[in-house]
Amino acid sequence: MGTFARALEDFFTHRGLALPTDQAERLAAGRRKRRIDAVPNPLRPAVAAFDAYRMRAQDRARRAGTRPRSNHTLETALSILRDLARFLTEHRGKDDWALVDVDDIEVFLATSPKARKRRLVVLRQFFRFARSQRIVLIDPTRTPIVKERNGFRGRTLTLGQQRALPSMSDRRSRSPPRGSARHARSAAWSVQRRGPDLADHRRRRGGPDRPARQATPSRPAGSRLLDRAGTLPGPPREVADDQPACDGHQRNQGRAEPGLNCLCFPRS
């Protein structure tokens, strides 16, 4: 059926002028038949019986109004069984499903690690059906098979690369020690920048029964911290009169008060 024929079918079907055709079902049946025909002859009858069993289950699910298996799911299962049958005949020298053991299943699953889980699910369904039909006496998939651990599968760092990363103690050592002039200056600048935000935060935390403590203006707090920074070791260097003032630099009574981008005070 071509594109124009499918468009006509959709047009008449949506308007109730014709019944839908079974074109999709016929195409799916052809794909399943090609996969079954690709199975070696000694192992083909069991795969065909399994396909018929799954088709009956799909039809029952449609009649019951439950969720039937899609055609893609059925075709994927036949592809996995076709690959297993070829693997058994070409690499393991077995032409009977009753001769399959756990080692054969393990080796087959190892050929495609990414599809291991999906393949194992299909193989368990097939061998459960084969055992119920007396095709095999022992289900090789009932034996506990080593499962792939569920965890992170992305790229990881080697032990040497992990040791080269900065640790928490290194990050803490980069912060200025308490009581130093650098710590006092950084605290003063943070108060100057976040003064209104801290006031709003304290106002929001205070309820009707708990009055919020009013935040003091940030300028006096910053000035007190800067005064303390001047008394601690490592005072800021003097600014010459002929030195150009930086952005935000102010001079009050011979003492420099740097702004956010001021470089007049050493940062170490």
Side-chain angles (χ1 to χ4, degrees):
M1 182 182 294
T3 305
F4 182 69
R6 286 197 298 269
L8 288 178
E9 179 187 0
D10 295 340
F11 175 79
F12 288 109
T13 301
H14 290 318
R15 285 161 178 76
L17 302 177
L19 295 176
T21 60
D22 58 344
Q23 176 69 10
E25 297 297 332
R26 288 191 284 108
L27 293 176
R31 291 192 296 267
R32 290 195 306 272
K33 186 177 183 302
R34 288 193 298 270
R35 286 167 172 79
I36 294 175
D37 293 340
V39 178
N41 292 329
L43 306 177
R44 187 180 303 168
V47 178
F50 179 69
D51 178 62
Y53 165 76
R54 303 256 288 191
M55 291 301 299
R56 290 193 299 269
Q58 184 189 48
D59 185 65
R60 287 195 304 268
R62 287 176 178 175
R63 293 176 183 272
T66 57
R67 298 180 59 182
R69 293 186 178 93
S70 63
N71 294 327
H72 177 71
T73 301
L74 301 178
E75 296 165 10
T76 303
L78 292 178
S79 300
I80 295 174
L81 294 178
R82 175 202 60 196
D83 297 339
L84 176 62
R86 289 179 175 177
F87 173 79
L88 293 175
T89 56
E90 297 175 2
H91 300 280
R92 310 296 286 187
K94 299 180 179 180
D95 56 356
D96 191 354
W97 291 110
L99 302 177
V100 181
D101 55 8
V102 182
D103 294 335
D104 299 330
I105 302 299
E106 284 286 357
V107 176
F108 174 71
L109 295 177
T111 57
S112 181
K114 293 184 178 180
R116 176 186 178 90
K117 293 185 178 180
R118 179 59 182 166
R119 285 184 167 185
L120 184 57
V121 170
V122 173
L123 295 183
R124 283 175 174 171
Q125 295 173 355
F126 171 74
F127 282 103
R128 191 183 305 117
F129 165 79
R131 189 171 183 272
S132 65
Q133 300 297 320
R134 302 296 189 271
I135 300 175
V136 297
L137 297 178
I138 300 176
D139 184 0
T141 59
R142 291 188 62 183
T143 306
I145 299 177
V146 179
K147 296 183 179 180
E148 186 179 358
R149 288 186 293 179
N150 295 328
F152 180 73
R153 301 181 183 179
R155 298 179 59 185
T156 58
L157 299 178
T158 61
L159 186 59
Q161 293 174 343
Q162 295 178 16
R163 290 175 178 173
L165 294 176
S167 61
M168 186 62 67
S169 59
D170 296 338
R171 277 179 269 179
R172 290 176 180 173
S173 61
R174 295 177 183 177
S175 59
R178 289 183 174 274
S180 62
R182 182 183 174 189
H183 179 267
R185 287 193 295 270
S186 62
W189 295 336
S190 63
V191 169
Q192 290 180 2
R193 291 195 300 268
R194 299 181 57 189
D197 298 337
L198 291 175
D200 296 340
H201 177 67
R202 291 170 180 171
R203 192 179 300 108
R204 286 194 301 268
R205 291 188 61 181
D209 300 332
R210 178 186 174 187
R213 192 173 68 179
Q214 298 294 332
T216 57
S218 60
R219 186 68 179 180
S223 300
R224 288 195 300 270
L225 289 175
L226 287 175
D227 293 340
R228 181 190 175 192
T231 59
L232 293 175
R237 63 174 180 265
E238 297 294 335
V239 181
D241 295 335
D242 56 348
Q243 181 179 354
C246 62
D247 184 15
H249 193 93
Q250 298 178 0
R251 300 175 182 275
N252 295 328
Q253 300 178 359
R255 183 177 65 255
E257 295 185 1
L260 296 181
N261 300 326
C262 183
L263 300 178
C264 295
F265 284 84
R267 300 195 176 189
S268 58

